[in-house]
């Protein structure tokens, strides 16, 4: 083939490649590209505005991936949900982050020369944002590199403390309104522990798991020393109650 024929063939092939569009790719490939960390949420929003196919593709898994990739600690709040508009959740969490940071900045100006009074934090309720979103943003401020945003961290910690105590007290009041048959000694003890240590990660599941581990160790020791001990046959809930009484009086 002469040089002219080769050139013509290359031009045809080049033209066929140039005529291909992004939307010619399979959906799974497009979804993989849109979920890449290098693309920000603004990029996804811009792509979704180009055509109907890409708009449809960005709903709903791409936004879910962006949400979880950016705020992984929030995933636990969605495990029981059957359906969710992840684009709206992303928008709500993003807006909450901006509002919380503005509030923290206002605290640093308002209370710069004095301690933060509890009533000075009541304004955080006016934001009207989901509490778990606000807590997540405050934690992100606290987890920034050491040596940076020290003033913000100081106020973020106080606000997080205040928010969690407010939530715990609300749940505890609802717990006290239940009948005695519905109330659990363990659950009540966990509420008290959470209120006294609002910045710690305390849950009834983690406490129950720890108690179960202690009870198993006690049973193993009793089984070796006295296999007919009556406590080996009691129900787990009653054994938990006895253990809590023992701890209380120690």
């Amino acid at each position: 083939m002469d040089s002219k024929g080769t050139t013509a063939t290359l031009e045809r092939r080049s033209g066929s490649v140039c005529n291909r569009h992004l939307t010619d790719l399979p959906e799974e490939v497009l979804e993989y590209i849109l979920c890449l960390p290098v693309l920000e949420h603004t990029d996804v929003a811009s792509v979704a505005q180009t055509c109907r196919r890409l708009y449809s593709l960005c709903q709903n898994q791409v936004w879910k991936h962006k949400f979880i990739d950016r705020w992984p600690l929030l995933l636990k709040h969605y495990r029981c949900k059957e359906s969710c508009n992840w684009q709206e959740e992303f928008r709500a969490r993003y807006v909450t982050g901006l509002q919380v940071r503005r509030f923290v900045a206002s605290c640093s100006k308002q209370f710069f020369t004095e301690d933060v009074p509890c009533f000075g934090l009541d304004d955080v309720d006016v934001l009207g944002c989901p509490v778990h979103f606000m807590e997540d943003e405050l934690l992100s401020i606290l987890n920034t590199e050491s040596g940076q945003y020290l003033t913000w961290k100081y106020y973020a910690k106080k606000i997080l403390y205040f928010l969690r105590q407010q939530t715990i007290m609300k749940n505890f009041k609802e717990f006290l309104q239940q009948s005695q048959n519905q109330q659990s000694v363990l659950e009540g003890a966990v509420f008290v522990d959470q209120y006294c240590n609002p910045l710690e990660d305390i849950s009834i599941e983690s406490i129950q798991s720890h108690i179960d581990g202690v009870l198993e160790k006690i049973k193993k020791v009793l089984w070796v020393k006295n296999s007919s001990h009556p406590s080996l046959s009691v129900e787990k809930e009653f054994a938990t109650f006895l253990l809590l009484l023992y701890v209380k009086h120690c």
Side-chain angles (χ1 to χ4, degrees):
M1 183 182 294
D2 58 12
S3 60
K4 290 184 178 180
T6 303
T7 301
T9 302
L10 290 174
E11 287 179 351
R12 284 196 301 272
R13 290 178 179 176
S14 176
S16 63
V17 172
C18 291
N19 288 331
R20 292 195 176 273
H21 302 283
L22 180 65
T23 52
D24 293 331
L25 294 172
E27 286 193 3
E28 57 271 18
V29 176
L30 286 171
E31 185 174 309
Y32 174 81
I33 293 172
L34 292 170
C35 288
L36 290 174
V38 70
L39 294 180
E40 295 288 342
H41 65 281
T42 52
D43 299 318
V44 175
S46 297
V47 169
Q49 295 176 12
T50 57
C51 67
R52 290 183 179 178
R53 186 183 178 213
L54 289 176
Y55 175 82
S56 176
L57 184 65
C58 289
Q59 319 290 318
N60 194 21
Q61 292 302 313
V62 173
W63 282 111
K64 178 181 179 180
H65 189 279
K66 291 297 179 184
F67 184 96
I68 296 173
D69 187 56
R70 184 160 181 172
W71 303 295
L73 296 178
L74 290 174
L75 182 59
K76 62 184 179 182
H77 297 282
Y78 297 91
R79 287 174 182 165
C80 298
K81 287 194 173 184
E82 296 182 359
S83 61
C84 179
N85 187 327
W86 287 103
Q87 184 178 7
E88 290 301 320
E89 291 297 300
F90 191 102
R91 182 183 290 109
R93 172 60 184 85
Y94 182 79
V95 171
T96 297
L98 296 177
Q99 291 180 326
V100 167
R101 287 180 177 266
R102 280 196 291 266
F103 184 79
V104 173
S106 69
C107 285
S108 65
K109 294 177 181 179
Q110 184 178 358
F111 305 114
F112 185 76
T113 59
E114 57 184 274
D115 194 15
V116 183
C118 292
F119 62 82
L121 298 178
D122 289 337
D123 291 341
V124 73
D125 295 330
V126 181
L127 297 179
C129 303
V131 175
H132 60 290
F133 283 176
M134 290 193 288
E135 289 188 4
D136 188 67
E137 186 62 32
L138 292 168
L139 286 172
S140 70
I141 295 174
L142 292 173
N143 293 331
T144 53
E145 291 185 24
S146 58
Q148 295 184 359
Y149 303 105
L150 294 181
T151 305
W152 278 34
K153 287 181 179 181
Y154 173 80
Y155 292 105
K157 186 175 181 179
K158 286 186 173 290
I159 297 168
L160 181 61
Y161 195 101
F162 172 80
L163 273 179
R164 286 189 171 175
Q165 280 199 328
Q166 291 288 96
T167 302
I168 294 166
M169 181 56 68
K170 177 184 176 183
N171 295 335
F172 187 52
K173 288 180 178 179
E174 293 176 355
F175 168 78
L176 292 176
Q177 290 177 355
Q178 297 176 355
S179 64
Q180 291 186 354
N181 294 333
Q182 293 178 309
Q183 293 178 0
S184 161
V185 175
L186 177 60
E187 189 175 359
V190 169
F191 276 126
V192 174
D193 194 5
Q194 288 175 335
Y195 188 83
C196 296
N197 304 282
L199 298 183
E200 299 296 327
D201 187 14
I202 301 169
S203 66
I204 191 169
E205 292 79 14
S206 61
I207 298 297
Q208 183 66 66
S209 176
H210 182 70
I211 290 176
D212 290 345
V214 173
L215 289 175
E216 285 302 317
K217 291 179 181 179
I218 294 174
K219 285 184 178 180
K220 287 180 181 179
V221 173
L222 285 176
W223 185 263
V224 173
K225 293 186 176 183
N226 184 6
S227 60
S228 60
H229 196 282
S231 63
L232 294 173
S233 59
V234 301
E235 295 292 335
K236 185 177 75 172
E237 186 175 349
F238 184 64
T240 300
F241 173 72
L242 293 176
L243 181 60
L244 287 171
L245 286 179
Y246 173 77
V247 172
K248 179 181 177 181
H249 289 90
C250 282

